[in-house]
């Protein structure tokens, strides 16, 4: 099963133009990226939408609001369309990021799994979750208490 693992961008950034994975200073983004276990990885940016970690972007100061959700919806919808399942690490993300990924998932009828809590709890469960999902095993409810699922078959 082709799985996309994503997480929200971070407020603290390096200055300049560089790959997205290097731009964001967030330990959460780096920790989620290291646990991708064969899944594709993307950052949900308030400015650029979903972007791969190697995409060269310029630093910016922007927080996703509901106006931005509406603006980014077409890009996010198109981005996730090539995947069979989306896993979004929600720990540390604002409501608007979660709403954007949920709306895009609903619009494309793509299964979506949200995992994580405010303090990055359950981040250690990502490997098990991704291993099951890539094999098509969607019996995932017992992996972590923070899991939310949408559009699962």
């Amino acid at each position: 099963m082709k799985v996309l693992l994503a997480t929200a961008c971070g407020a603290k950034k390096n200055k300049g133009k560089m790959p997205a994975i290097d731009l964001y200073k967030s330990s959460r983004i780096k920790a989620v990226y290291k646990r991708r276990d064969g899944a594709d990885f993307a950052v949900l940016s308030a400015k650029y939408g979903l972007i791969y970690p190697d995409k060269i972007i310029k630093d910016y100061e922007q927080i996703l609001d509901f106006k931005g959700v509406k603006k980014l919806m077409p890009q996010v919808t198109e981005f996730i369309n090539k995947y069979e399942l989306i896993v979004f690490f929600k720990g540390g993300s604002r409501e608007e990021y979660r709403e954007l990924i949920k709306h895009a998932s609903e619009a494309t009828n793509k299964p979506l799994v949200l995992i994580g809590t405010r303090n990055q709890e359950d981040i250690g469960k990502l490997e098990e979750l991704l291993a099951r999902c890539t094999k098509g095993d969607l019996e995932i409810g017992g992996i972590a208490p923070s899991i939310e699922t949408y559009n699962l078959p």
Side-chain angles (χ1 to χ4, degrees), residues 8-9 44-49 60-74 76 93-101 103:
C9 64
L44 182 51
S45 161
K47 181 172 184 170
Y48 301 104
Y60 62 94
E61 293 297 324
Q62 191 168 330
I63 295 173
L64 188 62
D65 56 19
F66 284 106
K67 185 178 174 185
V69 167
K70 195 172 185 179
K71 179 182 172 194
L72 292 174
M73 182 70 173
V76 174
S93 68
R94 293 167 47 99
E95 178 185 0
E96 292 85 352
Y97 293 88
R98 297 187 302 272
E99 288 303 310
L100 176 53
I101 202 75
H103 288 313

Side-chain angles (χ1 to χ4, degrees), residues 17-149:
K17 223 175 169 179
M18 63 195 73
I21 195 66
D22 298 325
L23 182 78
Y24 299 107
K25 293 182 176 182
S26 167
S27 61
R28 170 187 40 83
I29 293 172
K30 308 256 190 288
V32 172
Y33 177 72
K34 287 178 183 170
R35 289 170 172 83
R36 65 192 182 283
D37 194 33
D40 286 355
F41 176 78
V43 174
L44 182 51
S45 161
K47 181 172 184 170
Y48 301 104
L50 277 168
I51 51 174
Y52 290 117
D54 59 350
K55 181 165 177 71
I56 305 294
I57 59 172
K58 187 176 180 334
D59 64 287
Y60 62 94
E61 293 297 324
Q62 191 168 330
I63 295 173
L64 188 62
D65 56 19
F66 284 106
K67 185 178 174 185
V69 167
K70 195 172 185 179
K71 179 182 172 194
L72 292 174
M73 182 70 173
Q75 187 274 347
V76 174
T77 301
E78 182 180 337
F79 193 100
I80 69 171
N81 214 23
K82 58 185 159 267
Y83 293 95
E84 296 171 86
L85 177 89
I86 314 308
V87 175
F88 187 79
F89 188 80
K90 63 182 177 172
S93 68
R94 293 167 47 99
E95 178 185 0
E96 292 85 352
Y97 293 88
R98 297 187 302 272
E99 288 303 310
L100 176 53
I101 202 75
K102 281 194 251 182
H103 288 313
S105 168
E106 289 170 12
T108 56
N109 201 31
K110 297 290 180 178
L112 171 66
V113 178
L114 301 181
I115 184 172
T117 60
R118 184 180 188 116
N119 297 324
Q120 295 186 34
E121 291 170 27
D122 295 340
I123 199 165
K125 304 291 184 173
L126 273 176
E127 289 99 334
E128 180 182 354
L129 175 63
L130 292 169
R132 285 200 202 173
C133 289
T134 53
K135 291 177 189 165
D137 177 4
L138 300 180
E139 295 295 321
I140 54 175
I143 294 175
S146 65
I147 286 180
E148 298 173 47
T149 59

